[in-house]
Amino acid sequence: MEGMPVSMGGLRTLPWYVAGSQVLGVASVVITGVWMGHYRGGYAWDGSTQEFNVHPLCMVLGLVFLYGDAVLVYRVFRNESKRSVKILHALLHMMALIISIVGLVAVFDFHSAAKIPHMYSLHSWCGMLTFVLFFIQWLLGLGFFLFPWASAQLRSWYLPLHVFFGLLLLVMAVGSCLLGITEKLLFNIMETYSRFTGEGVLANILGLLLVSFGVVVGYVVTRDDFRRPPNPEEEALSVHFKTLSEGEIPSSP
Amino acid sequence: MEGMPVSMGGLRTLPWYVAGSQVLGVASVVITGVWMGHYRGGYAWDGSTQEFNVHPLCMVLGLVFLYGDAVLVYRVFRNESKRSVKILHALLHMMALIISIVGLVAVFDFHSAAKIPHMYSLHSWCGMLTFVLFFIQWLLGLGFFLFPWASAQLRSWYLPLHVFFGLLLLVMAVGSCLLGITEKLLFNIMETYSRFTGEGVLANILGLLLVSFGVVVGYVVTRDDFRRPPNPEEEALSVHFKTLSEGEIPSSP
């Protein structure tokens, strides 16, 4: 996506977008917690539906909120060293990974205890695809960018793919959450959903908040004038060397 | 998204991505048609569930396939005049708009005849939001880019937003379709869905095909070296003047 010249919009709006994303992200986590805690009977770890309730909370917290914040760090910490920001990016993604694994174990446990077949729904297909691709992307990210294993050529080849798949996986995570919301509502309140009951409206609002979080994060990371400024000294030392095409600015994830 | 230097990947792969997108798009439309035609009793226009069946077919054909192709024209017709490509872009979007209006009328008719409340589900909220934003974006696109109403400044301000929202709306359209697939399956085959019945698996595959179509279109339009080459003569005559920031290439939607 091409951006406006800095003079027309510029960096002064960035903090507002970042603050907005955090309000939307925290609201999504809180509403998921309230939905499962208040309307669906709370949390447990015993194979019951209370164990299932851990699943939505972990996925929204891990694969949406923390994942989105991991994506944002390159825009938020514009003037820190690239290496520190990379480590923070990897750590946030590791937290997202661990929390989403807990969320996955919760739903598989619940299905096994309740003798419900695994992996039959579109939600499960999309969600598992998102998780597996996220895990692969995280491993590749470590290997290519954090450790000095890959050649500069390989890194510069992978970087635009890492950026594209990074944003794609956030979109797929949000989409999988929306499918999960729809499934959960139709399994539990199919009879009353069409009467605009509190639970149904709350869950729909949660869906819109998740979409809004994804939109704001996507806008911040694709807008040209929010991009991290290239630091010539760092660029010379690190992998982010200039590409061969004339006048091109080195890529920053 | 930053791209590779042209020498490393380049334009020779573009036709393969475009062909792939068309295979995925046509397959999505055909599978939707088969699902509604074979498993759900075919089509009619009488307020029955056969009228409902028109809805998924129109939305997949209009808001996903034709919409996606309208987005792709700037990459496919790289050497035609900008004005011709703009007109094709607007016409494809107009077809998408008309077909999706037919699809919306079908589902509202069906709900009214069956005394089902309108607009209570997350699918309906996301789908309607997508349609309304698409309609606004289409009107703004006409006003800003096809007719000489907007100033050059306004056009250059709106262009990156038009590009961002254009891709966002494709993502939202695909997401809304997936929510619709999940709703339809749980309304009709909740008892047998978990036994991996033919209809359930077919509809899940449709969901993955729609996601894949969106991913390929998104990749093609965000990859730097697939971008339409700037034509200095056209640029001088048209709205796509150079932005003020140093060395920046004028934006092409």
Side-chain angles (χ1 to χ4, degrees):
Chain A
M1 316 266 159
E2 293 94 339
M4 297 181 281
V6 175
S7 56
M8 283 182 68
L11 277 174
R12 67 177 186 283
T13 59
L14 176 59
W16 293 100
Y17 286 107
V18 172
S21 73
Q22 298 313 289
V23 170
L24 292 165
V26 170
S28 300
V29 174
V30 169
I31 290 181
T32 309
V34 169
W35 181 19
M36 294 299 124
H38 175 69
Y39 287 99
R40 293 284 125 224
Y43 306 91
W45 197 267
D46 55 4
S48 67
T49 56
Q50 279 79 27
E51 181 167 342
F52 170 86
N53 292 346
V54 175
H55 171 69
L57 189 59
C58 283
M59 301 328 266
V60 168
L61 175 61
L63 266 188
V64 178
F65 183 51
L66 289 175
Y67 184 106
D69 274 6
V71 167
L72 282 178
V73 293
Y74 288 102
R75 300 297 176 273
V76 174
F77 301 103
R78 304 172 60 75
N79 303 311
E80 314 299 316
S81 83
K82 190 95 173 206
R83 187 159 178 83
S84 312
V85 183
K86 268 190 199 179
I87 290 170
L88 181 61
H89 180 75
L91 280 177
L92 279 171
H93 274 316
M94 192 175 69
M95 283 169 61
L97 195 63
I98 292 168
I99 292 171
S100 55
I101 288 171
V102 174
L104 285 179
V105 171
V107 70
F108 275 86
D109 261 12
F110 162 70
H111 275 192
S112 297
K115 309 245 185 300
I116 297 170
H118 301 294
M119 298 297 304
Y120 68 86
S121 71
L122 183 56
H123 165 64
S124 64
W125 289 23
C126 289
M128 188 54 84
L129 183 65
T130 306
F131 175 79
V132 169
L133 289 176
F134 168 48
F135 187 50
I136 294 171
Q137 165 102 334
W138 187 75
L139 289 177
L140 290 177
L142 279 190
F144 275 75
F145 301 126
L146 208 61
F147 298 114
W149 296 339
S151 69
Q153 273 81 355
L154 260 180
R155 290 179 178 203
S156 86
W157 167 80
Y158 178 52
L159 181 58
L161 287 174
H162 185 79
V163 172
F164 177 78
F165 275 94
L167 201 49
L168 170 64
L169 291 178
L170 178 63
V171 168
M172 285 176 63
V174 169
S176 300
C177 287
L178 268 59
L179 291 177
I181 291 171
T182 293
E183 267 196 7
K184 186 72 187 153
L185 290 172
L186 293 184
F187 282 136
N188 290 135
I189 61 161
M190 190 186 273
E191 299 305 312
T192 57
Y193 189 21
S194 64
R195 283 187 246 135
F196 293 88
T197 49
E199 180 175 355
V201 172
L202 184 79
N204 285 1
I205 290 171
L206 170 61
L208 294 188
L209 288 171
L210 289 165
V211 170
S212 307
F213 176 77
V215 170
V216 175
V217 172
Y219 183 70
V220 167
V221 297
T222 58
R223 188 166 148 174
D224 251 11
D225 54 356
F226 288 169
R227 193 154 281 160
R228 194 180 159 86
N231 176 335
E233 209 171 305
E234 245 181 22
E235 296 300 330
L237 290 168
S238 86
V239 300
H240 297 282
F241 59 98
K242 283 190 183 291
T243 54
L244 299 170
S245 65
E246 203 187 345
E248 201 163 331
I249 293 166
S251 301
S252 286
Chain B
M1 316 267 158
E2 294 92 340
M4 297 181 283
V6 175
S7 57
M8 282 181 69
L11 277 174
R12 67 178 187 284
T13 59
L14 176 59
W16 292 100
Y17 286 107
V18 173
S21 73
Q22 297 313 290
V23 170
L24 292 164
V26 170
S28 301
V29 173
V30 169
I31 290 180
T32 309
V34 168
W35 180 20
M36 293 299 124
H38 177 69
Y39 287 100
R40 291 287 126 222
Y43 306 91
W45 197 267
D46 56 3
S48 66
T49 56
Q50 280 78 27
E51 181 168 342
F52 170 86
N53 293 346
V54 174
H55 170 69
L57 189 59
C58 283
M59 301 329 266
V60 168
L61 175 60
L63 265 188
V64 179
F65 183 51
L66 288 175
Y67 185 107
D69 275 6
V71 167
L72 282 178
V73 293
Y74 289 101
R75 299 298 176 272
V76 173
F77 301 103
R78 303 173 60 75
N79 302 311
E80 314 299 316
S81 82
K82 191 97 172 203
R83 189 161 176 80
S84 311
V85 182
K86 268 190 198 179
I87 291 171
L88 181 60
H89 181 74
L91 280 177
L92 280 170
H93 274 317
M94 192 175 68
M95 285 170 59
L97 195 63
I98 292 169
I99 291 172
S100 55
I101 289 172
V102 174
L104 285 179
V105 171
V107 70
F108 275 87
D109 260 11
F110 163 70
H111 276 192
S112 298
K115 309 245 186 297
I116 298 169
H118 300 294
M119 299 295 307
Y120 67 86
S121 71
L122 183 56
H123 165 65
S124 65
W125 289 23
C126 289
M128 187 55 84
L129 183 65
T130 306
F131 175 79
V132 170
L133 289 177
F134 168 47
F135 187 50
I136 293 170
Q137 164 103 334
W138 187 76
L139 289 177
L140 291 177
L142 279 190
F144 275 75
F145 301 127
L146 209 61
F147 298 114
W149 296 338
S151 70
Q153 272 82 354
L154 260 181
R155 289 180 180 200
S156 86
W157 167 79
Y158 178 52
L159 182 58
L161 288 174
H162 185 78
V163 172
F164 177 77
F165 276 94
L167 202 48
L168 170 64
L169 290 177
L170 179 64
V171 168
M172 286 176 63
V174 169
S176 301
C177 287
L178 267 58
L179 291 177
I181 291 171
T182 293
E183 268 197 6
K184 186 71 187 153
L185 290 172
L186 294 184
F187 282 135
N188 290 135
I189 60 161
M190 189 186 272
E191 299 306 312
T192 57
Y193 189 21
S194 64
R195 283 186 246 134
F196 293 88
T197 49
E199 181 176 353
V201 172
L202 184 78
N204 285 3
I205 290 171
L206 170 60
L208 294 188
L209 287 171
L210 289 166
V211 170
S212 307
F213 176 77
V215 170
V216 175
V217 171
Y219 183 70
V220 167
V221 298
T222 57
R223 188 166 150 173
D224 252 9
D225 54 356
F226 288 170
R227 194 155 279 160
R228 193 181 160 86
N231 176 335
E233 208 171 305
E234 247 180 21
E235 296 300 329
L237 290 169
S238 86
V239 299
H240 298 281
F241 61 98
K242 282 188 186 293
T243 54
L244 298 170
S245 64
E246 202 186 344
E248 200 164 332
I249 292 165
S251 302
S252 286

